[in-house]
Amino acid sequence: MKYKILIIICLVLFIGCKDGEKKAYELKKEPELAIKNLSDTELKKRLELIAVEDQTLRLLLPEVGEKFGNGSEEEKFIWSLIHRQDSICLNSTIKILNQYGWLGKSKVGDKANQALWLVIQHAELEQQERYLPLLKESVENGESEGWHLAFLQDRILMRKKMNQIYGSQASWDKSINKMKIYPIDDVENVNKRRKELGLETIEEYAKMNGYVFDQKTME
């Protein structure tokens, strides 16, 4: 299993470098040609590939942590690759968003639509705030999942050290060594807001993920 992980990492590095060099050359030669006038099918394929690129290394993290230990040099190396790949994915995704907007499920399918959310939720705060209105409009039009909006909006608020709205985010509580739901604004009505986006109750969500839901003791 250890060798399988190393082989995958090497392939990612090799392909990523070659692909990155090729893309850099193409974009330098014709900055706009690579993204303009793409068909829905081409956009679907591009975004589905971006989803794979965003998730593959992250899916290896539990195995790497179990094999080498949390906080190990191997785990840190995986994270360095993830951050590098996130930058590549974000660059491609922003060009698509700026040219075509937040592409909905009816246009490119569920997986490609979700790829937009995956990349933006891993982006810097500035980018998250910039594209949040596009996602919100897409959700209101039934073209994106409600939980995409809940997760992104809550993540933005948490990063700004503000109370979240839907209770989708949790943080590690050292005093109990467990993940605890991050503080929620107007917690008494959180389930009403969650229901509007098609989400389960906050109690069900916490139980399903093994999170502690105790707003009274949140600091």
Side-chain angles (χ1 to χ4, degrees):
M1 191 63 68
K2 177 178 179 180
Y3 296 109
K4 182 179 76 173
I5 295 173
L6 293 175
I7 290 171
I8 292 174
I9 293 173
C10 289
L11 286 172
V12 169
L13 283 171
F14 177 77
I15 295 171
C17 289
K18 290 297 182 181
D19 190 48
E21 291 172 2
K22 181 180 178 182
K23 287 179 180 178
Y25 172 77
E26 289 175 347
L27 292 174
K28 184 176 180 181
K29 184 177 180 181
E30 287 290 345
E32 301 300 328
L33 183 62
I35 203 64
K36 280 189 174 180
N37 303 318
L38 294 178
S39 67
D40 291 351
T41 300
E42 290 171 321
L43 287 167
K44 181 177 184 292
K45 289 180 179 178
R46 285 201 179 199
L47 286 169
E48 287 180 347
L49 178 58
I50 286 174
V52 171
E53 293 170 344
D54 177 274
Q55 289 294 294
T56 299
L57 287 169
R58 283 182 166 85
L59 293 174
L60 292 177
L61 277 171
E63 194 170 322
V64 171
E66 182 180 346
K67 196 73 177 179
F68 300 103
N70 294 325
S72 64
E73 291 303 313
E74 289 83 359
E75 187 180 64
K76 291 177 183 177
F77 175 60
I78 291 291
W79 272 113
S80 73
L81 295 180
I82 289 174
H83 294 320
R84 185 177 117 184
Q85 188 60 47
D86 282 353
S87 179
I88 295 171
C89 290
L90 180 62
N91 183 53
S92 299
T93 301
I94 284 177
K95 288 179 180 178
I96 291 174
L97 285 168
N98 290 344
Q99 180 68 28
Y100 300 95
W102 201 284
L103 295 161
K105 296 183 289 185
S106 66
K107 199 172 186 66
V108 294
D110 291 343
K111 185 176 180 179
N113 168 257
Q114 182 169 310
L116 296 170
W117 168 76
L118 282 171
V119 173
I120 296 302
Q121 77 152 350
H122 295 147
E124 295 296 324
L125 178 60
E126 179 184 355
Q127 302 293 351
Q128 291 178 336
E129 291 185 308
R130 179 178 300 173
Y131 294 103
L132 177 64
L134 292 182
L135 172 57
K136 186 176 182 180
E137 181 180 3
S138 182
V139 170
E140 290 173 349
N141 292 332
E143 287 292 337
S144 292
E145 299 295 333
W147 65 271
H148 291 178
L149 176 61
F151 272 73
L152 183 58
Q153 193 158 6
D154 280 350
R155 180 165 292 197
I156 289 172
L157 291 169
M158 187 173 74
R159 294 179 78 172
K160 296 173 73 173
K161 301 188 184 306
M162 299 170 65
N163 288 354
Q164 59 181 328
I165 298 174
Y166 301 101
S168 67
Q169 303 298 300
S171 57
W172 185 256
D173 189 317
K174 293 181 180 179
S175 65
I176 59 174
N177 288 323
K178 290 183 179 181
M179 294 292 287
K180 183 181 286 188
I181 298 290
Y182 191 78
I184 303 170
D185 191 43
D186 184 24
V187 67
E188 293 80 7
N189 294 304
V190 65
N191 283 332
K192 180 180 178 181
R193 296 192 296 273
R194 290 177 65 87
K195 186 177 180 179
E196 290 173 352
L197 292 184
L199 303 175
E200 67 280 282
T201 66
I202 189 67
E203 291 83 3
E204 291 170 333
Y205 174 70
K207 183 178 180 180
M208 180 173 58
N209 289 282
Y211 298 155
V212 174
F213 175 57
D214 183 5
Q215 295 289 291
K216 293 180 181 178
T217 60
M218 295 295 289
E219 297 180 357

